[in-house]
Amino acid sequence: MKLLGRNRLNQLISESSTTKVWVTAWSSEIDSCSWKSVDEVKDRFPSVVCIENCMFTFKVDGCDMVIETIMDFNALTVLIIAVKVT
C-alpha cells in the first residue's frame, strides 16, 4: 500500500519513544502490505475500527491518540486524514 499524508505522523513521533517505535513499525507495515479487504486489515490489526467501508481508525500504542485513515483497496493507497486525541 502507498501511505499518503505521512506528514501528519510528525506530532506522534515526538510523543514518546514507545509511540515513535509504534509509528515507525505501523508505517513500515502499511508500506509493505497489499490488503484487498477489510478482513485482511483486521487480521493484521485486530484493534482497528472500521468506521465506514473504507475509513479506519488505528489506536496508537504509548499514547491516547488514533490515526484516522481512508483506504482504497483497488488503488492500494492509505490516506492519513487525521491524528486525534481520544
Side-chain angles (χ1 to χ4, degrees):
M1 306 287 278
K2 183 174 182 179
L3 184 59
L4 307 171
R6 201 178 292 264
N7 60 313
R8 290 186 172 90
L9 299 175
N10 291 340
Q11 71 186 85
L12 287 174
I13 292 171
S14 63
E15 285 290 314
S16 70
S17 59
T18 302
T19 301
K20 183 177 181 177
V21 168
W22 187 90
V23 168
T24 302
W26 180 81
S27 299
S28 295
E29 178 69 23
I30 299 295
D31 287 336
S32 66
C33 69
S34 56
W35 295 318
K36 298 288 185 192
S37 70
V38 173
D39 290 335
E40 289 182 11
V41 178
K42 289 183 176 183
D43 285 345
R44 178 60 188 98
F45 292 96
S47 65
V48 71
V49 176
C50 182
I51 299 169
E52 292 179 19
N53 197 24
C54 62
M55 185 179 253
F56 296 86
T57 301
F58 294 86
K59 170 71 176 99
V60 179
D61 283 353
C63 68
D64 60 347
M65 300 182 92
V66 295
I67 301 171
E68 289 185 353
T69 65
I70 295 175
M71 293 191 190
D72 183 333
F73 296 113
N74 293 322
L76 296 176
T77 58
V78 177
L79 172 63
I80 300 170
I81 56 172
V83 175
K84 296 182 176 179
V85 177
T86 56

